[in-house]
């Protein structure tokens, strides 16, 4: 007769275990499994594609001459999460550096990564770093029409730290202070000069998540 209380206790324990809520796996956003309880982690295999724009004041030094000008860097990014909360990112951007009649224009390509640190439902700190190269052109001030533009070429690095907010399993917004460093040359051959640009501003963007 004493076995009945033991059996009843085991049945009760099993019922409790079955009825108990499962671990918060739904808080981890994974491919083809939309979050239902508030995103607290981004799982491996998640991909993002989006647009971003960085508006900055630019400091430049070339040889012995320095200047400050406005800069806009606008581009597209693709991110792939290789492990939970860590993604690899490829970015292609267009830059415009206003300097009266000699505005600089060109392209930037970088590869890097971002690590997301959860601080609330759907909200993450988003530090990131990337490196790559740039290529562009600059007209010569006061030169006759048809004069070839100067060539800009070199390496670039990007560093940012800000916030990302996953408003839904398919959409997020981010905003962060970011620095973009250009190191290279301006001009051609023996007439080229060293180039150092440091752009610092606020990068904002939105992404489609899939």
């Amino acid at each position: 007769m004493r076995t009945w209380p033991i059996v009843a206790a085991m049945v009760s324990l099993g019922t409790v275990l079955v009825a108990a809520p499962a671990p918060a796996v739904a808080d981890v956003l994974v491919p083809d499994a939309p979050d239902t309880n508030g995103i607290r982690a981004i799982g491996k295999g998640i991909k993002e594609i989006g647009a971003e724009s960085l508006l900055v004041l630019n400091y430049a030094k070339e040889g012995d001459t320095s200047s400050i000008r406005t800069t806009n860097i606008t581009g597209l990014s693709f991110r792939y999460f290789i492990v939970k909360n860590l993604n690899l990112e490829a970015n292609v951007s267009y830059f415009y550096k206003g300097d009266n009649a000699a505005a600089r224009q060109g392209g930037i390509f970088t590869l890097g990564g971002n690590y997301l640190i959860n601080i609330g439902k759907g909200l993450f700190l988003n530090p990131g770093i990337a490196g790559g190269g740039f290529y562009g052109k600059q007209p010569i001030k006061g030169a006759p029409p048809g004069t070839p533009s100067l060539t800009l070429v070199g390496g670039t690095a990007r560093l940012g730290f800000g916030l990302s907010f996953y408003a839904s399993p398919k959409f997020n917004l981010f905003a962060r202070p970011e620095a973009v460093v250009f190191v290279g040359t301006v001009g051609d051959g023996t007439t080229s000069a060293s180039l150092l640009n440091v752009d610092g501003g606020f990068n904002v963007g939105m992404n489609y998540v899939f």
Side-chain angles (χ1 to χ4, degrees), residues 72-144:
N72 175 262
I73 300 173
T74 301
L76 297 174
S77 289
F78 174 78
R79 302 178 187 89
Y80 177 79
F81 283 80
I82 56 173
V83 296
K84 187 170 72 174
N85 290 344
L86 177 64
N87 66 55
L88 295 180
E89 176 186 69
N91 175 274
V92 178
S93 294
Y94 162 79
F95 69 82
Y96 177 91
K97 299 177 182 292
D99 190 8
N100 299 323
R104 295 174 169 178
Q105 303 181 61
I108 307 170
F109 176 75
T110 58
L111 293 173
N114 303 274
Y115 184 73
L116 276 62
I117 304 168
N118 181 247
I119 56 175
K121 287 188 176 182
L123 187 62
F124 297 81
L125 293 175
N126 183 22
I129 189 170
F134 69 92
Y135 179 85
K137 293 290 186 177
Q138 176 189 320
I140 300 173
K141 287 183 180 180

Side-chain angles (χ1 to χ4, degrees), residues 9 21 25 27 35 50 63-64 72-73 77 92 101 133 136 142 169 179 193 200 206:
V25 293
D27 290 353
D35 166 80
D64 297 326
N72 175 262
I73 300 173
S77 289
V92 178
M206 58 183 66

Side-chain angles (χ1 to χ4, degrees), residues 168-188:
S168 79
K170 293 296 184 181
F171 178 76
N172 76 42
L173 299 168
F174 78 90
R176 67 184 185 185
E178 192 166 306
V180 185
V181 181
F182 298 80
V183 180
T185 59
V186 55
D188 300 289

